[in-house]
Amino acid sequence: MEKEYCKMSRREMLTLSRNGFGAIALMGLLGRCTPSPNFISSAPVLKATETLPHYFPKAKSVIFLYMDGGVSQVDSFDPKPRLAKENGQNPYDKFKVDATQFGNVGKILKSPWDFKQYGESGIWMSDLFPNIATCVDDIAVIRSMVSNFPEHTNANYFLHTGSGIQGRPSMGAWVNYGLGSMNDNLPGYVVLDGGLTPPGGLDNFKNGFLPATYQASVLKPRRIPVSNIVALEESSQLQIDKLKHIEKMDQALLGKVIQSDQISSTIDNYELAFNMQSSLPELTDLAGESEVTKELYGLNSDDKHTKIYGTQCILARRLVERGVRFIELTCPNVGFDRWDQHSRLKKGHEANAHAVDQPIAGLLKDLKSRGLLEETLVVFAGEFGRTPFAQGKDGRDHNPSAFSIWLAGAGIKGGTTYGTTDEYGYRVVDKPTTIHDLHATMLHLLGVDHVQQTYRFGGRDIRLTDVHGHIIKGILA
């Protein structure tokens, strides 16, 4: 009689046998160790969802300070005295003007803020960020960033996923996929929602074609940070019985349906949600933080937006302490449409800067005082920059040809500037740096080779940096 074989894809087979392979891997890891009586309590061991990097990492975690809308580089980190000299003159008489998003090209516009040199490094920063400026010797400023897109949605996708189109995995998802979580009771990738959803929506934070386990968990900076996290059952045993029954039904589907990855991710997410019921309330309880620390982050500020962002920053530090790999902070709604000042540049940028300046400086100083900055990479970036000439009378249009970001912490050479723009801050003239380069560098500091980290999809091996990206060696310690 002819035998009947169960048809199963390679991925389904691996999913079904994942615990067995995990046990084999664990035996291999333990086999390289010489156990001692206190081995369990003293030796660094991998969590159930943690994997080994390609090489020894500088950073364990990333805090991504996402400046939604596009901070003006010539008003923040890239001083251009020539704008003051030629203020009010026609830009068409000075340089080639590219097409802008709205086509309302005004006169050359000087910065409303003064620039000063700070720290032993003497890096120039504007009066927009007086608190961040005090941390300048821990920061590497990249003044030569370029983007491929002049419009928010595509530029946001590009910044977050390395692709200007919808549907690719976010960089946080790639990090979570490559390294796993260091805490089984918290997500590996967290977005702290300050109140603004960026153009492009939640797809900026999604898993794309990676398993759903790796997408971001969006938390609010409040006592109960996510909906439906408080158990509604009358007893814990009732909830446990219910979850066991759900898992039994899900397990029965594994290997019987094509979408086994989705079923497996659902099981993992149920388990994580159950564990988060105890870990999240402890995370968001700031009662144990000293008044000095709360003051440092701006939690006592008269500006409610500073309080919101300060709470996000202190939660980011607490998430790092608990082993979360990738934390992204979005901006609070200060009433000026993010950093996207097409008009009222001075009021809008000042309101946004006031909300984030003290909390970010507090975060850097607090991380450093606790010894956490040495193993945490902090990235401050928006999706593009702004024009050196006005849009209308008192705004600035989008400029993907030049903008500034900065990095601090693990593996970063503080007190550094990298790259140069022209005399107007309009175009990069030295060391052009792409989003792919930024992603490659972030992964490098986490111990991940951006070329080796791939995922098979659509018939080819895909990576965060696509076929591009170089490590920005000039900012590395």
Side-chain angles (χ1 to χ4, degrees), residues 285-460:
D285 184 3
L286 305 183
E289 299 289 343
S290 70
E291 289 303 315
V292 173
T293 300
K294 292 177 183 178
E295 182 68 32
L296 180 67
Y297 281 88
L299 268 60
N300 300 325
S301 173
D302 293 334
D303 185 342
K304 67 177 183 179
H305 305 112
T306 302
K307 291 181 181 178
I308 292 171
Y309 203 77
T311 302
Q312 290 175 258
C313 285
I314 201 169
L315 288 176
R317 188 216 78 209
R318 291 170 68 87
L319 285 165
V320 164
E321 288 176 318
R322 288 154 179 78
V324 174
R325 287 283 187 195
F326 198 99
I327 305 114
E328 176 167 351
L329 282 65
T330 68
C331 293
N333 185 354
V334 300
F336 285 92
D337 193 22
R338 313 182 305 282
W339 289 93
D340 193 29
Q341 271 69 72
H342 292 277
S343 62
R344 297 193 294 170
L345 170 71
K346 190 172 188 301
K347 288 186 177 180
H349 262 43
E350 281 181 349
N352 279 286
H354 192 267
V356 305
D357 178 47
Q358 182 182 350
I360 290 174
L363 173 65
L364 293 175
K365 292 173 181 177
D366 197 20
L367 288 172
K368 188 173 183 178
S369 70
R370 295 169 188 263
L372 291 171
L373 192 59
E374 297 176 359
E375 58 188 40
T376 306
L377 176 64
V378 181
V379 181
F380 175 107
E383 64 267 39
F384 44 53
R386 311 205 78 83
T387 56
F389 47 84
Q391 177 182 339
K393 293 183 178 180
D394 60 352
R396 296 194 193 274
D397 212 329
H398 306 169
N399 179 24
S401 298
F403 63 107
S404 298
I405 69 170
W406 58 256
L407 300 88
I412 295 298
K413 183 164 59 178
T416 301
T417 59
Y418 182 89
T420 310
T421 55
D422 60 27
E423 293 181 284
Y424 299 94
Y426 192 29
R427 295 184 178 89
V428 173
V429 295
D430 182 45
K431 299 184 179 69
T433 307
T434 69
I435 297 298
H436 296 304
D437 297 336
L438 173 63
H439 289 162
T441 304
M442 292 169 69
L443 290 176
H444 168 76
L445 291 170
L446 288 162
V448 177
D449 185 332
H450 73 104
V451 176
Q452 292 187 49
Q453 189 193 40
T454 62
Y455 189 88
R456 191 75 176 177
F457 179 75
R460 73 180 183 97

Side-chain angles (χ1 to χ4, degrees), residues 190-260:
V190 170
V191 171
L192 294 171
D193 178 15
L196 286 173
T197 301
L202 296 179
D203 280 329
N204 287 291
F205 319 127
K206 286 294 185 68
N207 56 295
F209 46 70
L210 296 176
T213 307
Y214 303 115
Q215 70 178 330
S217 294
V218 182
L219 306 183
K220 296 281 188 180
R222 60 192 185 198
R223 189 66 183 89
I224 301 178
V226 63
S227 300
N228 304 315
I229 198 63
V230 178
L232 300 179
E233 290 78 10
E234 295 179 358
S235 68
S236 58
Q237 188 58 49
L238 181 60
Q239 186 189 26
I240 291 171
D241 292 342
K242 183 187 295 185
L243 291 173
K244 284 183 177 179
H245 181 64
I246 293 172
E247 182 179 5
K248 183 178 180 181
M249 291 189 294
D250 288 337
Q251 290 280 3
L253 289 174
L254 284 175
K256 296 181 180 179
V257 295
I258 297 175
Q259 297 87 358
S260 288

Side-chain angles (χ1 to χ4, degrees), residues 55-182:
Y55 42 81
F56 191 81
K58 296 288 187 181
K60 292 181 179 179
S61 301
V62 174
I63 297 176
F64 179 46
L65 307 169
Y66 169 46
M67 297 295 111
D68 183 4
V71 180
S72 171
Q73 72 283 0
V74 296
D75 296 307
S76 55
F77 308 111
D78 194 6
K80 296 299 172 184
R82 188 159 183 173
L83 296 182
K85 294 178 183 177
E86 299 180 7
N87 185 56
Q89 297 184 30
N90 188 348
Y92 289 98
D93 296 336
K94 303 296 180 178
F95 47 78
K96 180 182 180 296
V97 177
D98 296 332
T100 58
Q101 181 76 10
F102 292 95
N104 185 16
V105 176
K107 305 300 183 182
I108 290 174
L109 182 63
K110 70 175 183 179
S111 177
W113 299 278
D114 292 329
F115 280 77
K116 300 183 182 70
Q117 288 180 287
Y118 291 89
E120 293 182 5
S121 55
I123 292 178
W124 292 86
M125 285 194 180
S126 85
D127 292 342
L128 261 183
F129 298 110
N131 291 290
I132 293 176
T134 63
C135 305
V136 73
D137 288 333
D138 294 315
I139 287 172
V141 180
I142 301 177
R143 292 174 172 165
S144 54
M145 290 298 300
V146 294
S147 177
N148 293 4
F149 301 92
E151 186 272 332
H152 289 296
T153 298
N154 299 106
N156 280 331
Y157 289 149
F158 192 44
L159 173 63
H160 283 86
T161 74
S163 173
I165 59 174
Q166 186 180 29
R168 291 294 184 93
S170 170
M171 54 181 161
W174 278 109
V175 169
N176 201 12
Y177 162 69
L179 296 174
S181 177
M182 294 182 285

Side-chain angles (χ1 to χ4, degrees), residues 27-59:
M27 289 173 63
L29 288 170
L30 296 179
R32 294 196 294 267
C33 302
T34 303
S36 62
N38 62 346
F39 170 77
I40 295 178
S41 61
S42 66
V45 296
L46 294 176
K47 298 293 184 182
T49 55
E50 190 178 3
T51 55
L52 291 170
H54 291 130
Y55 42 81
F56 191 81
K58 296 288 187 181

